């Protein structure tokens, strides 16, 4: 089973940018980013497959960009125009049970990286 390690979280002011990375220990067809804010359920942020087909949550579309370096088995999430409501623990995930989509359940999860956005 592939293992995932996230990095790149931190604190930033509203309007700022951060880039998250997720290194996978092996090949994965589909990877994604999810987040859980305090007191809220986990939600899908974005997914990407090896054909570069992507899905995004409506709340991040136009601000976040997911990408994948297949040679390095590394996933990225470029987050621009960050808002306080983007504050959450962000998790990398791989290997969905069914579709490569933010609505799917994934088998493999990273440990998470915290993103905090202040107003």
């Amino acid at each position: 089973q592939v293992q995932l390690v996230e990095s790149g979280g931190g604190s930033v002011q509203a309007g700022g940018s951060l880039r998250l990375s997720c290194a996978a220990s092996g090949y994965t067809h589909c990877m994604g980013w999810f987040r859980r804010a305090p007191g809220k359920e986990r939600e899908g942020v974005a997914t990407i497959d090896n054909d570069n087909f992507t899905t995004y949550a409506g709340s991040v579309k136009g601000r976040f960009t997911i990408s994948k370096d297949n040679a390095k088995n590394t996933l990225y999430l470029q987050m621009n125009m960050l808002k306080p409501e983007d504050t959450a623990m962000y998790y990398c995930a791989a290997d969905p049970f069914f579709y490569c989509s933010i609505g799917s359940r994934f088998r493999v999860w990273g440990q998470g990286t915290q993103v905090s956005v202040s107003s």
Side-chain angles (χ1 to χ4, degrees), residues 76-92:
Y76 303 99
L77 184 68
Q78 179 66 43
M79 304 185 293
N80 298 329
M81 295 182 287
L82 282 161
K83 303 177 181 180
E85 51 263 45
D86 294 318
T87 295
M89 184 71 78
Y90 283 71
Y91 297 91
C92 174

Side-chain angles (χ1 to χ4, degrees), residues 84-119:
E85 51 263 45
D86 294 318
T87 295
M89 184 71 78
Y90 283 71
Y91 297 91
C92 174
D95 193 15
F97 281 92
F98 300 105
Y99 307 111
C100 188
S101 168
I102 57 172
S104 291
R105 290 174 57 216
F106 281 67
R107 290 185 175 87
V108 183
W109 294 87
Q111 81 287 353
T113 185
Q114 179 68 40
V115 171
S116 298
V117 184
S118 59
S119 57

Side-chain angles (χ1 to χ4, degrees):
Q1 178 169 291
V2 67
Q3 294 183 327
L4 307 174
V5 179
E6 301 101 330
S7 60
S11 298
V12 65
Q13 288 191 324
S17 298
L18 283 173
R19 189 176 84 152
L20 305 183
S21 299
C22 173
S25 60
Y27 170 81
T28 61
H29 170 69
C30 168
M31 299 182 74
W33 290 100
F34 293 74
R35 66 186 182 186
R36 177 176 280 147
K40 295 187 177 181
E41 293 187 354
R42 186 176 62 199
E43 64 172 342
V45 175
T47 61
I48 187 168
D49 66 17
N50 277 0
D51 295 320
N52 286 324
F53 179 79
T54 58
T55 67
Y56 289 94
S59 59
V60 306
K61 197 171 292 186
R63 299 188 297 122
F64 292 9
T65 302
I66 190 170
S67 61
K68 190 169 181 281
D69 185 331
N70 292 326
K72 297 181 179 179
N73 289 327
T74 300
L75 179 72
Y76 303 99
L77 184 68
Q78 179 66 43
M79 304 185 293
N80 298 329
M81 295 182 287
L82 282 161
K83 303 177 181 180
E85 51 263 45
D86 294 318
T87 295
M89 184 71 78
Y90 283 71
Y91 297 91
C92 174
D95 193 15
F97 281 92
F98 300 105
Y99 307 111
C100 188
S101 168
I102 57 172
S104 291
R105 290 174 57 216
F106 281 67
R107 290 185 175 87
V108 183
W109 294 87
Q111 81 287 353
T113 185
Q114 179 68 40
V115 171
S116 298
V117 184
S118 59
S119 57

